[in-house]
Amino acid sequence: MKDIIEVFPGDEVAEEEEYLAADGTFASDGKIYASQMGILELDDDECVARVISPNPPNVLKVGDIVYAVVADVKSTMATADVVAKKGTRRGLGGETYATIHVSKISQGYTDDVSKELRKGDYIRARVTGISPSLQLTTKDDHLGVIRSLCGACKTELIKKGKGLYCTNCERAFLRKLADDYGDVKL
């Protein structure tokens, strides 16, 4: 029976000559260190060192579906603050400031992000990149705006045809809508 070794972030756990850094570890100057608290596992079959955490951080990866709030809109890019990852209630660890390039908004041609997204819109998006920065897309039918408020009176907009409508101001708006706009429960 192997000994159970508890480690803390920064503890040296192995040498790079013997193991590769895996989940919960990182390598520096030929040594492998724990990046999270947990139980050290030195896998001799795969030659990897990993730390198994009872409560691992909720870190985003490519392909994850996330919920975000649009923070700013320029003609070629929008920025958003990611607030949750689909399928988990745990808060996010790591970078939550994301960008959405104009080419990643819609399946059709879009020349101006402000025609598809507005500041304050709640969106569902997919992570397309994490390095050097967090990048999102809303191209799929199930991705896009899931909740929006009128810019003038802050009334929640309702879906009308392919766009949105404010019942208070009686104004219509265009957006890149998710196919279930208005029916989303977080």
Side-chain angles (χ1 to χ4, degrees):
M1 184 173 139
K2 290 187 174 183
D3 291 334
I4 295 176
I5 302 170
E6 292 183 0
V7 294
F8 292 90
D11 286 354
E12 183 180 329
V13 297
E15 298 282 336
E16 271 193 299
E17 291 177 355
E18 299 174 25
Y19 297 96
L20 294 173
D23 295 338
T25 66
F26 66 94
S28 179
D29 296 327
K31 298 189 184 303
I32 299 175
Y33 299 91
S35 62
Q36 63 189 20
M37 184 176 79
I39 306 297
L40 174 63
E41 180 182 278
L42 297 175
D43 186 334
D44 292 328
D45 294 332
E46 294 182 30
C47 296
V48 295
R50 67 176 60 92
V51 174
I52 311 295
S53 176
N55 195 11
N58 188 7
V59 179
L60 295 175
K61 58 187 175 301
V62 172
D64 284 342
I65 301 297
V66 297
Y67 296 95
V69 179
V70 176
D72 195 19
V73 176
K74 305 283 187 215
S75 63
T76 61
M77 181 180 77
T79 59
D81 295 312
V82 177
V83 295
K85 181 168 91 171
K86 185 176 180 181
T88 182
R89 291 181 176 261
R90 183 175 172 137
L92 296 172
E95 184 63 49
T96 58
Y97 177 80
T99 59
I100 310 167
H101 189 267
V102 66
S103 65
K104 305 282 184 179
I105 302 267
S106 177
Q107 292 174 348
Y109 176 74
T110 300
D111 63 348
D112 188 350
V113 174
S114 66
K115 293 178 183 175
E116 306 284 347
L117 300 173
R118 296 283 170 89
K119 184 176 182 177
D121 284 349
Y122 291 83
I123 63 171
R124 181 187 304 117
R126 184 173 10 86
V127 176
T128 59
I130 54 171
S131 182
S133 63
L134 189 57
Q135 299 133 49
L136 306 176
T137 182
T138 57
K139 272 191 167 183
D140 299 342
D141 290 341
H142 198 58
L143 305 177
V145 178
I146 57 173
R147 183 172 184 259
S148 187
L149 302 177
C150 175
C153 69
K154 304 301 181 212
T155 299
E156 187 165 348
L157 300 175
I158 61 168
K159 187 174 181 180
K160 188 172 187 181
K162 292 187 176 189
L164 297 175
Y165 182 75
C166 177
T167 56
N168 190 43
C169 296
E170 298 183 352
R171 294 177 24 190
F173 304 92
L174 292 176
R175 295 288 202 288
K176 191 319 183 168
L177 300 177
D179 58 3
D180 60 347
Y181 177 91
D183 295 330
V184 178
K185 304 286 187 256
L186 292 179

Coordinates of all heavy atoms in Angstrom, one line a residue, residues 49-124:
A49 N 3.4 13.1 -12.4 CA 3.1 13.5 -11.0 C 1.9 14.4 -11.1 O 1.8 15.4 -11.9 CB 4.3 14.3 -10.4
R50 N 0.9 14.1 -10.2 CA -0.3 14.9 -10.2 C -0.8 15.0 -8.8 O -0.4 14.2 -7.9 CB -1.4 14.3 -11.1 CG -2.0 13.0 -10.6 CD -3.2 12.5 -11.5 NE -2.9 12.2 -12.8 CZ -2.4 11.1 -13.4 NH1 -2.3 10.0 -12.6 NH2 -2.2 11.0 -14.6
V51 N -1.6 16.1 -8.5 CA -2.1 16.3 -7.2 C -3.6 16.2 -7.3 O -4.2 16.9 -8.1 CB -1.7 17.7 -6.6 CG1 -2.5 17.9 -5.3 CG2 -0.2 17.7 -6.4
I52 N -4.2 15.3 -6.6 CA -5.7 15.1 -6.6 C -6.3 15.9 -5.5 O -6.0 15.7 -4.3 CB -6.0 13.6 -6.4 CG1 -5.2 12.6 -7.3 CG2 -7.5 13.4 -6.5 CD1 -5.5 12.8 -8.7
S53 N -7.1 16.9 -5.9 CA -7.7 17.8 -4.9 C -9.1 17.4 -4.6 O -9.9 17.0 -5.6 CB -7.7 19.2 -5.5 OG -8.3 20.1 -4.6
P54 N -9.5 17.4 -3.4 CA -10.9 17.1 -3.0 C -11.9 18.2 -3.5 O -13.1 17.9 -3.7 CB -10.9 17.0 -1.5 CG -9.8 17.8 -1.1 CD -8.7 17.7 -2.2
N55 N -11.4 19.3 -3.8 CA -12.2 20.5 -4.2 C -11.4 21.3 -5.3 O -10.9 22.4 -5.0 CB -12.5 21.3 -3.0 CG -13.6 22.3 -3.3 OD1 -14.3 22.2 -4.3 ND2 -13.8 23.2 -2.4
P56 N -11.2 20.7 -6.5 CA -10.4 21.3 -7.5 C -11.0 22.7 -8.0 O -12.2 22.9 -8.0 CB -10.4 20.3 -8.7 CG -11.6 19.5 -8.5 CD -11.9 19.5 -7.0
P57 N -10.1 23.6 -8.4 CA -10.6 24.9 -8.9 C -11.4 24.7 -10.2 O -11.1 23.7 -11.0 CB -9.3 25.7 -9.2 CG -8.2 24.6 -9.3 CD -8.7 23.5 -8.5
N58 N -12.3 25.5 -10.5 CA -13.2 25.5 -11.7 C -12.5 26.4 -12.7 O -12.7 27.6 -12.8 CB -14.6 26.0 -11.3 CG -15.5 25.8 -12.4 OD1 -15.2 25.2 -13.4 ND2 -16.7 26.4 -12.3
V59 N -11.6 25.8 -13.5 CA -10.8 26.5 -14.5 C -11.4 26.2 -15.9 O -11.7 25.1 -16.2 CB -9.3 26.0 -14.4 CG1 -8.5 26.7 -15.5 CG2 -8.8 26.3 -13.1
L60 N -11.6 27.3 -16.6 CA -12.1 27.2 -18.0 C -11.2 26.5 -18.9 O -10.0 26.7 -18.8 CB -12.5 28.5 -18.5 CG -13.7 29.3 -17.7 CD1 -13.9 30.7 -18.3 CD2 -14.9 28.4 -17.8
K61 N -11.7 25.8 -19.9 CA -10.9 25.2 -21.0 C -11.7 25.3 -22.3 O -12.9 25.5 -22.3 CB -10.5 23.7 -20.6 CG -11.7 22.8 -20.4 CD -11.2 21.4 -19.9 CE -12.3 20.5 -19.6 NZ -13.2 20.9 -18.6
V62 N -11.0 25.1 -23.4 CA -11.6 25.2 -24.7 C -12.7 24.2 -24.8 O -12.6 23.1 -24.4 CB -10.5 25.0 -25.8 CG1 -11.1 24.9 -27.2 CG2 -9.4 26.1 -25.8
G63 N -13.8 24.7 -25.3 CA -15.0 23.9 -25.5 C -16.1 24.1 -24.4 O -17.2 23.7 -24.6
D64 N -15.7 24.7 -23.3 CA -16.7 24.9 -22.2 C -17.7 25.9 -22.6 O -17.4 26.9 -23.3 CB -16.0 25.5 -20.9 CG -15.2 24.4 -20.2 OD1 -15.4 23.2 -20.4 OD2 -14.4 24.8 -19.3
I65 N -19.0 25.6 -22.2 CA -20.1 26.6 -22.4 C -20.1 27.5 -21.2 O -20.2 27.0 -20.1 CB -21.4 25.9 -22.7 CG1 -21.3 24.9 -23.9 CG2 -22.5 26.9 -22.8 CD1 -21.0 25.6 -25.2
V66 N -20.2 28.8 -21.4 CA -20.2 29.7 -20.3 C -21.3 30.8 -20.4 O -21.8 30.9 -21.5 CB -18.8 30.5 -20.2 CG1 -17.7 29.5 -19.9 CG2 -18.5 31.3 -21.5
Y67 N -21.6 31.4 -19.3 CA -22.5 32.5 -19.3 C -21.7 33.8 -19.0 O -20.8 33.7 -18.1 CB -23.6 32.3 -18.2 CG -24.5 31.1 -18.6 CD1 -24.2 29.8 -18.0 CD2 -25.5 31.2 -19.5 CE1 -24.9 28.7 -18.4 CE2 -26.3 30.1 -19.8 CZ -26.0 28.9 -19.3 OH -26.7 27.8 -19.6
A68 N -22.0 34.9 -19.7 CA -21.2 36.1 -19.5 C -22.1 37.3 -19.7 O -23.2 37.2 -20.2 CB -20.1 36.1 -20.5
V69 N -21.6 38.5 -19.2 CA -22.3 39.7 -19.4 C -21.4 40.6 -20.3 O -20.2 40.8 -20.0 CB -22.5 40.4 -18.0 CG1 -23.2 41.8 -18.2 CG2 -23.3 39.5 -17.1
V70 N -22.0 41.1 -21.4 CA -21.2 42.0 -22.3 C -20.8 43.2 -21.5 O -21.7 43.9 -21.0 CB -22.0 42.3 -23.5 CG1 -21.2 43.2 -24.4 CG2 -22.3 41.0 -24.3
A71 N -19.5 43.5 -21.5 CA -19.0 44.7 -20.7 C -18.8 45.9 -21.6 O -19.0 47.0 -21.2 CB -17.7 44.3 -20.1
D72 N -18.4 45.7 -22.9 CA -18.1 46.8 -23.8 C -18.2 46.2 -25.2 O -18.0 45.1 -25.5 CB -16.7 47.3 -23.6 CG -16.5 48.7 -24.2 OD1 -17.5 49.4 -24.6 OD2 -15.3 49.1 -24.4
V73 N -18.6 47.1 -26.2 CA -18.7 46.8 -27.6 C -18.0 47.8 -28.4 O -18.2 49.0 -28.3 CB -20.2 46.7 -28.0 CG1 -20.4 46.4 -29.4 CG2 -21.0 45.7 -27.1
K74 N -17.1 47.3 -29.3 CA -16.5 48.1 -30.3 C -17.0 47.6 -31.7 O -17.6 46.6 -31.7 CB -15.0 48.0 -30.2 CG -14.4 48.3 -28.9 CD -14.4 49.8 -28.6 CE -13.7 50.1 -27.3 NZ -14.2 51.2 -26.6
S75 N -16.6 48.2 -32.8 CA -17.0 47.7 -34.1 C -16.5 46.3 -34.4 O -17.2 45.5 -35.1 CB -16.7 48.7 -35.2 OG -15.3 48.8 -35.3
T76 N -15.3 46.0 -34.0 CA -14.7 44.7 -34.4 C -14.6 43.7 -33.2 O -14.2 42.5 -33.4 CB -13.3 44.8 -35.0 OG1 -12.5 45.4 -34.0 CG2 -13.4 45.7 -36.2
M77 N -15.0 44.1 -32.0 CA -14.8 43.2 -30.9 C -15.8 43.6 -29.7 O -16.1 44.8 -29.5 CB -13.4 43.3 -30.4 CG -13.0 42.4 -29.3 SD -11.3 42.5 -28.8 CE -11.3 44.1 -27.9
A78 N -16.1 42.6 -28.9 CA -16.9 42.8 -27.7 C -16.1 42.2 -26.6 O -15.3 41.2 -26.8 CB -18.3 42.2 -27.7
T79 N -16.2 42.8 -25.4 CA -15.6 42.2 -24.2 C -16.7 41.8 -23.3 O -17.8 42.4 -23.3 CB -14.6 43.2 -23.5 OG1 -15.4 44.3 -23.1 CG2 -13.4 43.6 -24.3
A80 N -16.4 40.7 -22.5 CA -17.5 40.2 -21.6 C -16.8 39.7 -20.4 O -15.7 39.2 -20.4 CB -18.3 39.1 -22.3
D81 N -17.6 39.7 -19.3 CA -17.2 39.1 -18.0 C -17.9 37.8 -17.8 O -19.1 37.8 -17.7 CB -17.5 40.1 -16.8 CG -16.8 41.4 -16.9 OD1 -15.5 41.3 -17.1 OD2 -17.4 42.5 -16.8
V82 N -17.1 36.7 -17.8 CA -17.7 35.4 -17.7 C -18.1 35.2 -16.2 O -17.3 35.5 -15.3 CB -16.7 34.3 -18.1 CG1 -17.3 32.9 -17.8 CG2 -16.3 34.5 -19.5
V83 N -19.4 34.8 -16.0 CA -19.9 34.7 -14.6 C -20.1 33.3 -14.1 O -20.2 33.0 -12.9 CB -21.1 35.6 -14.4 CG1 -20.8 37.1 -14.6 CG2 -22.2 35.2 -15.4
A84 N -20.3 32.4 -15.1 CA -20.5 31.0 -14.7 C -20.2 30.0 -15.9 O -20.2 30.4 -17.0 CB -22.0 30.8 -14.4
K85 N -19.9 28.8 -15.5 CA -19.7 27.7 -16.5 C -20.9 26.8 -16.4 O -21.3 26.4 -15.3 CB -18.4 27.0 -16.1 CG -18.1 25.9 -17.1 CD -16.7 25.3 -17.0 CE -16.6 24.2 -16.0 NZ -15.3 23.6 -16.0
K86 N -21.4 26.4 -17.6 CA -22.6 25.5 -17.6 C -22.2 24.2 -16.9 O -21.1 23.6 -17.1 CB -23.0 25.3 -19.1 CG -24.2 24.5 -19.2 CD -24.6 24.3 -20.6 CE -25.9 23.5 -20.7 NZ -26.4 23.3 -22.0
G87 N -23.2 23.7 -16.1 CA -23.0 22.4 -15.5 C -22.3 22.5 -14.1 O -22.1 21.4 -13.5
T88 N -22.0 23.6 -13.6 CA -21.3 23.7 -12.3 C -21.9 24.9 -11.6 O -22.1 26.0 -12.1 CB -19.8 23.8 -12.4 OG1 -19.3 23.8 -11.1 CG2 -19.3 25.0 -13.2
R89 N -22.0 24.8 -10.3 CA -22.4 25.9 -9.4 C -21.2 26.6 -8.8 O -21.3 27.7 -8.2 CB -23.3 25.4 -8.3 CG -24.7 25.0 -8.8 CD -25.5 24.5 -7.7 NE -26.8 24.2 -8.2 CZ -27.9 25.0 -8.1 NH1 -27.8 26.1 -7.5 NH2 -29.1 24.6 -8.5
R90 N -20.0 26.0 -8.9 CA -18.8 26.5 -8.2 C -18.3 27.7 -9.0 O -18.4 27.8 -10.2 CB -17.8 25.4 -8.2 CG -16.5 25.9 -7.5 CD -15.5 24.8 -7.4 NE -14.3 25.5 -6.9 CZ -13.6 25.0 -6.0 NH1 -13.8 23.8 -5.5 NH2 -12.5 25.6 -5.5
G91 N -17.8 28.7 -8.2 CA -17.3 29.9 -8.8 C -16.1 29.6 -9.7 O -15.4 28.6 -9.5
L92 N -15.8 30.5 -10.6 CA -14.7 30.3 -11.5 C -13.4 30.7 -10.9 O -13.3 31.7 -10.2 CB -14.9 31.1 -12.8 CG -16.1 30.7 -13.7 CD1 -16.3 31.7 -14.8 CD2 -15.9 29.3 -14.2
G93 N -12.3 29.9 -11.2 CA -11.0 30.3 -10.8 C -10.2 30.7 -12.1 O -10.4 30.2 -13.2
G94 N -9.4 31.7 -12.0 CA -8.6 32.1 -13.2 C -9.3 33.3 -13.9 O -10.1 33.9 -13.4
E95 N -8.8 33.5 -15.1 CA -9.3 34.6 -15.9 C -10.7 34.5 -16.3 O -11.2 33.5 -16.7 CB -8.4 34.6 -17.2 CG -8.7 35.8 -18.1 CD -8.3 37.1 -17.4 OE1 -7.2 37.3 -16.9 OE2 -9.2 38.1 -17.5
T96 N -11.5 35.6 -16.1 CA -12.9 35.7 -16.5 C -13.2 36.8 -17.5 O -14.3 37.0 -17.9 CB -13.8 35.8 -15.3 OG1 -13.4 37.0 -14.5 CG2 -13.7 34.6 -14.3
Y97 N -12.2 37.6 -17.8 CA -12.4 38.7 -18.8 C -12.1 38.1 -20.2 O -11.1 37.6 -20.4 CB -11.4 39.8 -18.5 CG -11.4 41.0 -19.5 CD1 -12.3 42.0 -19.4 CD2 -10.5 41.0 -20.5 CE1 -12.4 43.0 -20.2 CE2 -10.5 42.1 -21.4 CZ -11.4 43.1 -21.3 OH -11.4 44.1 -22.1
A98 N -13.1 38.2 -21.0 CA -13.0 37.5 -22.3 C -13.3 38.5 -23.5 O -13.9 39.5 -23.3 CB -14.0 36.4 -22.4
T99 N -12.9 38.1 -24.7 CA -13.2 38.9 -25.9 C -13.9 38.0 -26.9 O -13.8 36.8 -26.9 CB -11.9 39.4 -26.6 OG1 -11.0 38.2 -26.9 CG2 -11.1 40.3 -25.6
I100 N -14.7 38.7 -27.7 CA -15.4 38.0 -28.8 C -15.2 38.8 -30.1 O -15.6 40.0 -30.2 CB -17.0 38.0 -28.5 CG1 -17.2 37.4 -27.1 CG2 -17.6 37.1 -29.6 CD1 -18.7 37.6 -26.7
H101 N -14.5 38.3 -31.0 CA -14.1 38.9 -32.2 C -15.3 39.0 -33.2 O -16.2 38.0 -33.1 CB -12.9 38.2 -32.9 CG -12.4 39.0 -34.1 ND1 -12.8 38.8 -35.4 CD2 -11.5 40.0 -34.2 CE1 -12.2 39.6 -36.2 NE2 -11.4 40.3 -35.5
V102 N -15.5 40.0 -34.0 CA -16.6 40.1 -34.9 C -16.8 38.9 -35.7 O -18.0 38.5 -36.0 CB -16.4 41.4 -35.8 CG1 -15.2 41.2 -36.7 CG2 -17.7 41.7 -36.6
S103 N -15.8 38.1 -36.1 CA -15.9 36.9 -36.9 C -16.4 35.7 -36.1 O -16.8 34.7 -36.7 CB -14.5 36.6 -37.5 OG -13.6 36.2 -36.5
K104 N -16.5 35.9 -34.8 CA -17.0 34.8 -34.0 C -18.4 35.0 -33.4 O -18.8 34.3 -32.5 CB -16.0 34.6 -32.8 CG -14.6 34.4 -33.2 CD -14.3 33.0 -33.6 CE -12.8 32.8 -33.9 NZ -12.5 31.5 -34.3
I105 N -19.1 36.0 -33.9 CA -20.4 36.4 -33.4 C -21.5 35.5 -34.0 O -22.3 35.0 -33.3 CB -20.7 37.9 -33.6 CG1 -19.6 38.7 -33.0 CG2 -22.1 38.2 -33.1 CD1 -19.9 39.2 -31.6
S106 N -21.5 35.5 -35.3 CA -22.7 34.9 -36.0 C -22.2 34.0 -37.2 O -21.1 34.2 -37.7 CB -23.5 36.1 -36.5 OG -24.6 35.6 -37.3
Q107 N -23.0 33.1 -37.6 CA -22.7 32.2 -38.7 C -22.7 33.0 -40.0 O -22.0 32.7 -40.9 CB -23.7 31.0 -38.8 CG -23.5 30.1 -37.6 CD -24.5 29.0 -37.6 OE1 -25.5 29.0 -38.3 NE2 -24.3 28.0 -36.8
G108 N -23.6 34.0 -40.1 CA -23.6 34.9 -41.2 C -22.6 36.0 -41.1 O -21.8 36.1 -40.1
Y109 N -22.5 36.8 -42.2 CA -21.5 37.9 -42.2 C -22.0 39.0 -41.2 O -23.1 39.5 -41.2 CB -21.4 38.5 -43.6 CG -20.5 39.7 -43.6 CD1 -19.1 39.6 -43.5 CD2 -21.0 41.0 -43.8 CE1 -18.3 40.7 -43.6 CE2 -20.2 42.1 -43.8 CZ -18.8 41.9 -43.7 OH -18.0 43.0 -43.7
T110 N -21.1 39.5 -40.4 CA -21.3 40.6 -39.5 C -20.2 41.6 -39.6 O -19.0 41.2 -39.5 CB -21.4 40.1 -38.0 OG1 -22.4 39.2 -37.9 CG2 -21.6 41.3 -37.1
D111 N -20.5 42.9 -39.9 CA -19.4 43.9 -40.1 C -19.3 44.8 -38.9 O -18.3 45.5 -38.8 CB -19.6 44.7 -41.4 CG -20.9 45.5 -41.3 OD1 -21.7 45.3 -40.4 OD2 -21.1 46.4 -42.2
D112 N -20.2 44.7 -37.9 CA -20.2 45.6 -36.8 C -20.8 44.8 -35.6 O -22.0 44.4 -35.6 CB -21.0 46.8 -37.1 CG -20.9 47.9 -36.0 OD1 -20.3 47.6 -34.9 OD2 -21.3 49.0 -36.2
V113 N -20.0 44.6 -34.5 CA -20.4 43.9 -33.4 C -21.7 44.5 -32.7 O -22.6 43.8 -32.2 CB -19.3 43.8 -32.3 CG1 -19.8 43.1 -31.0 CG2 -18.1 43.0 -32.9
S114 N -21.8 45.9 -32.8 CA -22.9 46.6 -32.1 C -24.2 46.2 -32.7 O -25.3 46.5 -32.1 CB -22.6 48.1 -32.1 OG -22.7 48.6 -33.4
K115 N -24.2 45.6 -33.9 CA -25.5 45.2 -34.5 C -26.0 43.9 -33.9 O -27.1 43.5 -34.2 CB -25.3 45.0 -36.0 CG -25.1 46.3 -36.8 CD -24.8 46.1 -38.2 CE -24.5 47.3 -39.0 NZ -24.2 47.1 -40.4
E116 N -25.1 43.2 -33.2 CA -25.4 41.8 -32.7 C -25.4 41.7 -31.2 O -26.1 40.9 -30.6 CB -24.4 40.8 -33.2 CG -24.2 40.8 -34.7 CD -25.3 40.1 -35.4 OE1 -26.1 39.4 -34.8 OE2 -25.4 40.3 -36.7
L117 N -24.6 42.5 -30.5 CA -24.5 42.5 -29.0 C -24.5 43.9 -28.5 O -24.0 44.9 -29.2 CB -23.2 41.8 -28.6 CG -22.9 40.4 -29.0 CD1 -21.5 40.0 -28.6 CD2 -24.0 39.5 -28.4
R118 N -25.0 44.1 -27.3 CA -25.0 45.4 -26.6 C -24.5 45.3 -25.2 O -24.6 44.2 -24.6 CB -26.4 46.0 -26.6 CG -27.0 46.3 -27.9 CD -26.4 47.6 -28.5 NE -26.8 47.8 -29.9 CZ -27.8 48.4 -30.3 NH1 -28.7 48.9 -29.5 NH2 -28.1 48.5 -31.6
K119 N -23.9 46.3 -24.7 CA -23.4 46.3 -23.3 C -24.6 46.0 -22.4 O -25.7 46.5 -22.5 CB -22.9 47.7 -23.0 CG -22.3 47.8 -21.6 CD -21.7 49.2 -21.4 CE -21.0 49.3 -20.0 NZ -20.3 50.6 -19.8
G120 N -24.3 45.0 -21.4 CA -25.3 44.6 -20.5 C -26.0 43.3 -20.9 O -26.7 42.8 -20.1
D121 N -25.9 42.9 -22.1 CA -26.6 41.7 -22.6 C -26.0 40.5 -21.8 O -24.8 40.4 -21.6 CB -26.4 41.4 -24.1 CG -27.2 42.3 -25.0 OD1 -28.1 43.0 -24.5 OD2 -27.0 42.3 -26.2
Y122 N -26.9 39.6 -21.5 CA -26.4 38.3 -20.9 C -26.3 37.3 -22.1 O -27.3 37.2 -22.8 CB -27.4 37.8 -19.9 CG -27.5 38.6 -18.6 CD1 -28.2 39.8 -18.6 CD2 -26.8 38.2 -17.5 CE1 -28.3 40.5 -17.4 CE2 -26.8 39.0 -16.3 CZ -27.6 40.1 -16.3 OH -27.6 40.9 -15.2
I123 N -25.2 36.6 -22.2 CA -25.0 35.7 -23.3 C -24.5 34.3 -22.9 O -24.0 34.2 -21.8 CB -23.9 36.3 -24.3 CG1 -22.5 36.4 -23.6 CG2 -24.3 37.6 -24.9 CD1 -21.4 36.7 -24.6
R124 N -24.8 33.4 -23.7 CA -24.2 32.0 -23.6 C -23.2 31.9 -24.7 O -23.5 32.2 -25.9 CB -25.3 31.0 -23.7 CG -24.8 29.6 -23.5 CD -25.8 28.5 -23.8 NE -27.0 28.6 -23.1 CZ -28.2 28.8 -23.6 NH1 -28.4 28.9 -24.9 NH2 -29.3 28.8 -22.9

